[in-house]
Amino acid sequence: MALITVKNLAIGYDSQAILAGLSFEVNPGDYLCIIGENGSGKSTLMKTLLGLSSPLDGEIVPGDGLKKNEIGYLPQQTFIQRDFPVSVREIVISGCQSKMGFHPFYSSKQRKEAEKNMEKMGITDLADRCYRELSGGQQQRVLLARALCAAEKVLLLDEPVSGLDPDVTAEMYELIKSLNDEGLAIIMISHDIFAAMKYSDHILHIGDELFYGTKENYLIYAKEDLSKWIN
Amino acid sequence: MDKLILYMQYPFVRYALIVGTLIALCSSLLGVTLVLKRFSFIGDGLSHVAFGAIAIASIFSIEGKMVLVLPITIISAILLLRTGQNTRVKGDAAIAMISVGALAFGYLLMNLFGTSANLTGDVCSTLFGSTSILTLTQSEVWICVVLSILVVVLFILFYNKLFAVTFDENFAKAIGTNVNGYNLLIATVIAIIIVLSMNLVGSLLISALIIFPALSAMRLFGSFKKVTVFSAFISVVCALTGIFISILAGTPVGSTIVATQVAAFAVCCLVGSVMGGIRT
């Protein structure tokens, strides 16, 4: 059964739709890339999926017993975070906040979870460093480790490589792919059509024309566009 | 030193020290959150609202002004923090509007309906808190103690959630944290702190009490917990130092405390830039 089924969704701000008629589904272990031009509504779609803004029409049906606190999210960085005095460990463990329930403090199990995810992201040695002193790639790893603390089944990523240099970008993509290989479903917004082709297995193209399907079908569908881009 | 021991025998001096310490502790706790959320001036806005409320309370000669002042301030705080996102009037403009508006109305009402012979003196002491901390009654001290304990307990219980909501509101919301609830809690606690602090420094100087300790601590430390603990510490030290100086030198309490905090901030800046910060 699909983790998330989207039926005939319309999204936008202040009852003004920027996209309508979206239908797609995300199954366990899928790697879905959402591509489209700036302003086509990619981020709004992600916010709607997360429940940060409400859909104008249609519905988003969680399946397979998916609960809200089993979804991880890697947002784009906000300006507040740039001068925030906070250590890496504090950020990572805050990913466990939805599992605390009414407990005021983190349990030792949650602390271990945070340590495990820091290790996975290769940032254990940065645990006590201040976030604002880290490089862009390191900061992204920290936020990814936090998202992992929250993600049991699905991970949503909003342009995870924006502002990173090519080497770090490639590392980041490999890291995300390795998470997908472990069975986590990935939904990623990306500008980068080549990375989408390389790593994902499903594509959702939004804009004037909508496309949802497997990567192979997308290649056939968008042959002309793709060859234009490549040349 | 003898003079100090002599003074300590007066109950009003002891009250001032107890209340001063508690208020300094409470006001510094949420400072970090407010500074980082770009709400540094909310202290000013709310304290002016409280000033307006005090004016209304004194016109109707309501006993125990707290009954009126606290709810009005809490409601304003909720309205102000709610304007934070996605509204026509943005946070800073909303604060400016409410703050000046309430100040003007408060003074107007006091002028029109005031019964006191010494109006300017009343206004001045409400704005600058010149003497009120030295004229506290025992019941006022108790109210202050109870409210302070409430603030500290709430802060400790919700520390982790408050951090999460401050650092990344969208992420917190996305993974199912009740962000609006916690923002409401922050607003309420802020309002309580403001009303308490008016006793100490008066409504014009409250922002200093909230933001200076946080800014000083942020110069030196790079973790949220350390910044919070250190800002509470430095706030209490500055408040006590300020009160002692003002008793010994006969200066106004509020402005002496704020001056001490400015000095502490300067020292922290200096230490921070010399050491490159004690980073962890």
Side-chain angles (χ1 to χ4, degrees), chain A residues 59-79:
Chain A
E59 53 181 344
I60 301 167
V61 190
D64 216 4
L66 180 71
K67 290 193 222 72
K68 195 156 182 177
N69 64 6
E70 292 174 330
I71 300 174
Y73 174 41
L74 181 72
Q76 292 188 17
Q77 291 201 39
T78 62
F79 76 101

Side-chain angles (χ1 to χ4, degrees), chain A residues 5 29 37 61 82 85 88 97-98 107 114 117 129 132-133 144 152 166 179 184-185 187 197 204-205 210 228:
Chain A
T5 311
E37 275 152 33
V61 190
R82 271 182 226 138
V88 169
Q97 60 185 280
S98 60
S107 67
N117 286 323
R129 288 274 299 279
R132 59 188 168 194
E133 294 165 10
L144 194 54
E152 299 274 328
L179 296 171
L184 203 60
I187 304 175
M197 288 295 128
L204 175 66
H205 183 123
L210 296 176
K228 236 188 295 173

